[in-house]
Structures are given as structure tokens and as C-alpha cells.
């Protein structure tokens, strides 16, 4: 699940992003409305956490543009104004949900998850294939009853492979949906692109670790020139 946090208070934006990453989401952050529109045009986000009072391009205009484009990205609007009129105005703009500041972080995570369930790519609470069981709510995984100690990134990659239901998932799609712009910084420059984004080599490293944790017999196969399949 990929989330964009658009919030001009940079400290708050990074705190929200850090918490969402710990909850298992891939998160990008921007601090202005024009940057939000640029990112939303580049990436297929499941949810945007959108501050209403963004500089340069107002959050209302970001919401209008997103709705007008027919995007499936769900909008959770944030604002310091908590009156009923403000909530109604935000929802009338096309926001899917509304949260006033200050807010409790567990509520934010719960609302983001709820919006994800309403997106165009619904995820069942449990995924099973070849003895692997993933609980997407509790974020637990097992193989043939053996608990798997997966990192958040490994869990996300395995979830994408299970969702494909035997189909092939490309390295590009894995990078798009499981990594964010600042995820997993590597000390090796060979695993980072010139733009700071993870290199496809980061997928190979993650896949190698995931295969090791899944154990034998091997379940993930490489489809040369195409991607990976379970």
C-alpha cells in the first residue's frame, strides 16, 4: 500500500510518514500543493493524506484536480478547522474522509487502512498460497504453520506476490508499490539511482533475503526479463 502525505508542517509530515511506515505502508512526503499534484501525477497512490491549507496550490484545488482526473486514489483530508461546515465542505470537494487536527495517530492509521479497503484493489484480510499464510491486518506471516520473521519490506513484497495469484510481478511494479522515495537507504551507491530512488538491485537483495526466510522447497521463481512469481 502506497500513501502520499501532503502537509506543509514538515515535522508533522515526517512524524506521520514515519508512523505509517512502521505500520507497513510505503510513504512519500511533500510540503506544498504543487508538489502534491506532481507526485500524484507520477505515482499510483492508494491514499493521499492531504492537509487542506497547503501553500502554492491549496489543498482544496489538489482534491478537485484529483477527483476531476478520475483517479482511484482515496483522499483523507486534514485541517485545523474542525467545524461541521468545514467537514462538509471538505467532503463536498471529493474527500473520502476528514480528520481534524490535533488527532490521535492510531485513528489516522485506522482511517488510512479503511480507505485502502475501499480502493479499487481490495485486499482480503488473509492471503494463502502454497502453505504461506499472510494476515494483512495483524501483519503476520507463516509457512506450513512456521512463523516467518519478515521485515516490513519483505512482508510487502510477499503480499504483492500473493495478490498476483501465480502471475508475474515486475521489479518495476515492486519498486512502485512496495518502496517509497526514501525507503531503505543503502550504504552501497550501487543500490541507489541518481534520483535517490531504490535501484532494481534493491529488489534482488530483498528477494534473496525473502527466499532465505521462506526456506525449502523454493517458492519464488525468477521469470527472466519479466519479474518474479510465486
Amino acid at each position: 500500500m502506497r500513501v502520499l502525505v501532503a502537509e506543509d508542517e514538515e515535522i508533522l509530515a515526517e512524524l506521520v510518514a514515519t508512523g505509517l511506515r512502521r505500520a507497513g505502508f510505503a510513504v512519500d512526503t511533500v510540503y506544498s500543493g504543487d508538489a502534491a499534484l506532481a507526485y500524484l501525477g507520477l505515482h499510483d497512490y492508494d491514499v493521499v493524506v492531504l492537509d487542506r491549507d497547503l501553500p502554492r496550490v491549496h489543498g482544496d484545488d489538489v482534491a478537485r484536480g484529483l477527483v476531476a482526473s478520475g483517479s482511484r486514489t482515496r483522499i483523507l483530508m486534514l485541517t485545523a478547522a474542525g467545524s461541521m461546515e468545514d467537514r462538509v465542505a471538505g467532503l463536498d470537494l471529493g474527500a473520502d474522509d476528514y480528520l481534524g487536527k490535533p488527532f490521535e495517530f492510531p485513528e489516522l492509521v485506522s482511517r488510512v487502512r479503511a480507505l485502502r479497503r475501499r480502493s479499487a484493489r481490495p485486499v482480503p484480510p488473509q492471503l494463502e498460497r502454497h502453505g504461506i499464510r499472510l494476515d494483512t491486518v495483524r501483519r503476520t506471516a507463516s509457512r506450513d504453520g512456521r512463523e516467518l520473521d519478515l521485515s516490513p519490506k519483505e512482508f510487502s513484497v510477499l503480499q504483492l506476490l500473493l495478490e498476483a495469484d501465480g502471475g508475474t510481478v515486475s521489479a518495476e511494479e515492486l519498486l512502485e508499490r512496495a518502496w517509497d522515495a526514501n525507503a531503505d537507504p543503502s550504504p552501497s551507491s550501487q543500490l541507489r539511482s541518481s534520483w535517490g530512488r531504490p535501484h532494481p538491485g534493491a529488489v534482488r537483495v530483498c528477494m534473496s533475503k525473502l527466499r532465505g526466510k521462506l526456506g525449502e522447497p523454493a517458492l519464488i521463481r525468477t521469470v527472466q526479463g519479466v519479474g518474479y512469481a510465486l
Side-chain angles (χ1 to χ4, degrees):
M1 176 176 176
R2 189 161 188 179
V3 179
L4 177 66
V5 175
E7 165 62 62
D8 66 324
E9 297 180 41
E10 295 188 20
I11 293 177
L12 175 60
E14 294 307 322
L15 285 173
V16 169
T18 297
L20 288 172
R21 289 185 186 116
R22 287 174 178 167
F25 308 141
V27 187
D28 294 330
T29 53
V30 293
Y31 314 116
S32 64
D34 55 342
L37 287 173
Y39 269 62
L40 288 164
L42 286 172
H43 305 294
D44 184 22
Y45 291 99
D46 295 282
V47 176
V48 56
V49 179
L50 180 65
D51 180 41
R52 194 170 182 186
D53 297 315
L54 290 173
R56 294 202 286 274
V57 176
H58 197 273
D60 289 0
D61 294 321
V62 174
R64 288 190 187 97
L66 196 58
V67 172
S69 71
S71 172
R72 65 165 196 85
T73 301
R74 301 295 186 179
I75 302 171
L76 173 57
M77 188 168 279
L78 302 179
T79 183
S83 71
M84 181 184 69
E85 290 79 8
D86 287 304
R87 291 196 297 272
V88 170
L91 294 170
D92 283 346
L93 288 168
D96 298 281
D97 200 357
Y98 198 97
L99 190 59
K101 299 178 184 177
F103 52 83
E104 296 293 332
F105 191 76
E107 182 180 4
L108 173 67
V109 173
S110 178
R111 288 174 181 258
V112 169
R113 284 181 173 147
L115 289 178
R116 173 62 176 83
R117 289 194 293 270
R118 291 163 53 189
S119 73
R121 288 196 300 256
V123 177
Q126 289 198 351
L127 295 166
E128 294 187 51
R129 189 177 179 87
H130 299 309
I132 294 177
R133 175 177 292 181
L134 245 64
D135 188 318
T136 62
V137 177
R138 295 182 177 86
R139 304 285 296 179
T140 59
S142 64
R143 180 180 183 182
D144 297 327
R146 174 177 59 89
E147 294 298 318
L148 300 173
D149 182 19
L150 303 182
S151 71
K153 194 64 59 198
E154 292 159 357
F155 187 97
S156 296
V157 168
L158 184 57
Q159 179 174 329
L160 290 169
L161 292 173
L162 284 166
E163 286 179 20
D165 197 25
T168 302
V169 184
S170 69
E172 290 76 16
E173 183 177 357
L174 290 171
L175 284 173
E176 173 69 21
R177 295 182 60 192
W179 272 260
D180 57 54
N182 300 295
D184 298 343
S186 170
S188 170
S189 60
Q190 294 179 343
L191 295 182
R192 307 296 293 177
S193 72
S194 59
W195 295 94
R197 298 299 305 275
H199 187 274
V203 176
R204 291 194 293 272
V205 170
C206 181
M207 202 64 71
S208 176
K209 292 179 179 179
L210 180 57
R211 282 170 166 150
K213 291 183 179 183
L214 290 176
E216 298 295 337
L219 291 178
I220 300 174
R221 59 189 178 91
T222 301
V223 182
Q224 292 298 328
V226 181
Y228 302 90
L230 190 66

